[in-house]
Amino acid sequence: MIERVRVAVVGGGPAGLTAAAALARRLGDGVLVLEREAETGGIPRHSDHLGYGLRDLRRFVSGPAYARRLTSAASTAGARLATSASVTGWAGDRALEVTSPDGRRVVEADAIVLATGARERPRPARRIPGDRPDGVYTTGQLQQLVHLYHRDIGKRAVIVGAELVSWSAVLTLRHAGCRPVLMTTPDSYAPFRLTGRVAFGVPVLARTRVVAVNGRSRVTSVDVEDLRTGRHHRVPCDTVVFTADWIPEHELARTGGLVLDAGTRGPRVDTGLATSRPGVFAAGNLLHPVDTADMAALDGRHVAATVLAHLDGSASVTAGPQLNCEAPLRWVAPQLIRAGGPVPVRGQLQLWTSQFRALPHVVAVQDGRRIGSVRLPWPAAPGRVFRVPFSLVAGADPTGGPVTIDLAGFGHSQRRTRRV
Amino acid sequence: MTTDFDIAVVGAGIVGAAIARLLGGTSLTVALIEARDDVGDGTSKANTAILHTGFDATPGTLEARLVARGYAMLGDYAAATGIPVERTGALLVAWTDEQLQTLPALRGKAERNGYTGCELIESDEVYRRVPALGPGALGGLTVPGESITCTWTTNLALAIDAVNRGVTLLRGRRVTGVEVGPDATRLTCAGGDVTARWVVNAAGLGADVLDGLFGHARFTVTPRRGELFVFDKLARPLAPCIVLPVPSKAGKGVLISPTIYGNVMLGPTAEDLEDRTATGTSERGLAFLLDRGRELMPQLLEEEVTATYAGLRAAIDRDDYLIDVDALHRYVLVGGIRSTGLTAGMAIAEHVGGLLGEALDLTPRPYLPDPPRMPNLGEAGVRPYQDAARIDADPEYGRIVCFCERVTRGEIRDAYRSPIPPADLDGLRRRTRAMNGRCQGFYCGAQLAALSGSPGDFS
């Protein structure tokens, strides 16, 4: 069976639903959202605490309420929302194979938006040895167990990671009556984030990592290594939550042959969020692990404009220079400036650093020439996106070579010595 | 002593299930006794799942003969039951001059084992076949018959076949004592004693202990831990065939193999242990594998790891299978069956049947049930989510609950309705692939926990 639509949106989370709502205002039921879960809404569905909707809806609501609002907005605008509908592969340049209880079908579209999100790396992907007992979760699994299935969790939890989502895990554990006894993170800056300690009262062990999970049927303890001394000590617990360490859910992007970015592991996109394949676009945390839900939603709004221009045939296709970055920056998004194209979402580039900088000085260099420089009044910290104004690279020569973004005061010779 | 069964087979791994299946086809009453809560939950589940030609076995051994015979038997049985098999072939790669010089001898050994398909190939042909190999490969030996299969489905098919033939499967019965009487033997078990005229010891890692309970002191099982990495399915194109190391004095070495589920496996380590329950992975083992993997196939290390496992092989202190009939005590030992036992299992059963035939009437019953049709877990075959006609007939095959492995609610339901339903979430994993994918439960874990917690919903 073949179904024809104007736009197919893969993934009904904040980015996909917001894109669908914006597109459906013009295209109505020509917009089809394909969501593999039984409900749309994405991760906020099971993130049952306040903190959602700030930058896109100008509201402060819980995750489930946010998921309902975005669903309702897309559906009110006229988009069709197909749930329990998994996209399992490609049937052509802009054609998708879909399995749902209604059958197996091919969806052909004039444009496809990939908004498949990101997931936390589970314990095996982090290569942490030990036994394989029950009681080991990612935040996603933990929150579904607690908030969607109302299951009992243990009594004492160790949380691996100290990022935004880790605090979300703390809230869920508390809600489930499970005491978070320790957060462990290899980063050294975490102790500076006292808000966490004061607000939640969970001890944070910086410069540590979990090196083993112990327990035959149920977790009994984890072994924690102090990265400064190499010493191990055993922390009794019956629950371990592996938080953060996100990776884009990029299977479709890869099997579709889209050019991926080595840093983000998501598809490379231009400032309008077009991928390397004409008519295929991407938005949200598929592009860069990982930003907050409201930022993913703003991506969705942004990509909708590019898709509409593509459908009108008015899209500029002149590729401009690529954006790269140098360590300690891990990635930059978007990665391509399009001549005559839009500025990125909120006029900002997104960057990820592996080292803390209290007052980062970011520079952009093209063909050996410094084309921009900005000193930020806010820190660049590992574990969350930091943003710089797009003006940093606005002076790039559209016909020039790649633009490299770097943290100043961190030249090549210095970097080499530090790596030793 | 009242006698419950004519024969009790202890151990429901591949070997025990194959023997029970064979005996179940006669007019004898048979029990299949398993210490754990599920079949195939010991060494069998962590097998590397290679269907071996037996090319590298020691010529003249019982193992060499039974592996070659088992290869053909299991191949036929797989076709009849739907156990997935992919005929990928294997390539032994020489990385040193010494290894290169060993290859012709290995081909000679294969021929002495009756396998004539091996070919010596040059370095450029090695890279043509497996372009992702790291630098330094000097040459290779092909083994076109080596194949990959699913150890879980094989074990389950044999056990279900046995049950369909009338064998009584008793799970959760660890044998702790043996009392050999004049007509029957009493097996003291947690969960209820079992008496039988004959006892077959196919207890794998526990075979030496059970053998001791019968008064023997013939061998010692050393648990040999093998740790391995399973890489993401997106890595599968890197490994078009099984890449084997050239065996040396230091052991068989680390291999890279595609898996029947579409992943790539790197391993195993080989570490002799004392603890027969130490199925955890170790920091040292994983680091060793990553170092080896970086040399063998650097690109593979760029891919995500989906799972890490450790399995225990039942190594014994001799170089062949140890199969012996003690007619006086009506007792059969099937010991020392290492990883080749997956391939050899059905031939081992046939061999045991031959030995027992002298003491028991093993004439097959007429009208045996057909072998079971097993759900296809193989990535190369058609799975329910891809089968339009099947989804139209039953929409539950269109309702995917494990997204990474594309397992449908229909398959979960079928597993719980099968003759040997899963005892827990791990049992469900082995029957359906659910939760075996790259997210390891991030998306589906909670729902599957709920489904497995109330299997009554499916009955």
Side-chain angles (χ1 to χ4, degrees), chain A residues 99 121 130 216 254 265, chain B residues 277 281 302-304 385 438:
Chain A
T99 291
R121 279 193 179 83
R216 287 289 153 79
R254 276 189 73 173
R265 299 201 149 217
Chain B
T277 60
T281 52
E302 304 288 308
E303 299 289 343
E304 292 291 312
Y385 83 88
R438 59 175 69 95

Side-chain angles (χ1 to χ4, degrees), chain A residues 149-332:
Chain A
Y149 292 91
H150 312 290
R151 309 278 284 200
D152 283 337
I153 306 299
K155 293 291 168 211
R156 283 173 60 87
V158 168
I159 295 153
V160 180
E163 301 185 9
L164 275 177
V165 67
S166 320
W167 301 110
S168 179
V170 167
L171 291 173
T172 302
L173 289 166
R174 290 258 164 82
H175 175 88
C178 182
R179 189 159 70 93
V181 293
L182 178 67
M183 291 180 100
T184 150
T185 172
D187 295 321
S188 54
Y189 69 94
F192 299 115
R193 297 161 81 185
L194 285 170
T195 47
R197 292 188 63 151
V198 172
F200 298 102
V202 184
V204 178
L205 272 188
R207 310 271 331 250
T208 60
R209 61 178 189 137
V210 169
V211 292
V213 174
N214 309 307
R216 287 289 153 79
S217 57
R218 178 82 196 188
V219 179
T220 53
S221 64
V222 294
D223 293 342
V224 175
E225 181 185 68
D226 184 324
L227 291 171
R228 280 161 297 205
T229 63
R231 271 217 293 273
H232 288 198
H233 75 280
R234 189 155 282 191
V235 182
C237 60
D238 58 12
T239 302
V240 188
V241 188
F242 285 93
T243 70
D245 196 2
W246 297 87
I247 176 161
E249 186 73 343
H250 61 200
E251 181 179 10
L252 275 180
R254 276 189 73 173
T255 56
L258 272 54
V259 176
L260 294 203
D261 184 71
T264 62
R265 299 201 149 217
R268 287 184 77 104
V269 287
D270 65 20
T271 50
L273 303 182
T275 71
S276 61
R277 187 192 275 188
V280 178
F281 306 82
N285 283 328
L286 167 64
L287 294 177
H288 42 70
V290 60
D291 210 336
T292 51
D294 52 358
M295 292 304 293
L298 292 179
D299 258 13
R301 201 176 288 166
H302 188 76
V303 78
T306 315
V307 171
L308 290 173
H310 165 79
L311 296 176
D312 292 344
S314 63
S316 144
V317 288
T318 322
Q322 292 198 1
L323 301 179
N324 299 325
C325 59
E326 286 279 353
L329 297 177
R330 288 241 179 100
W331 54 257
V332 55

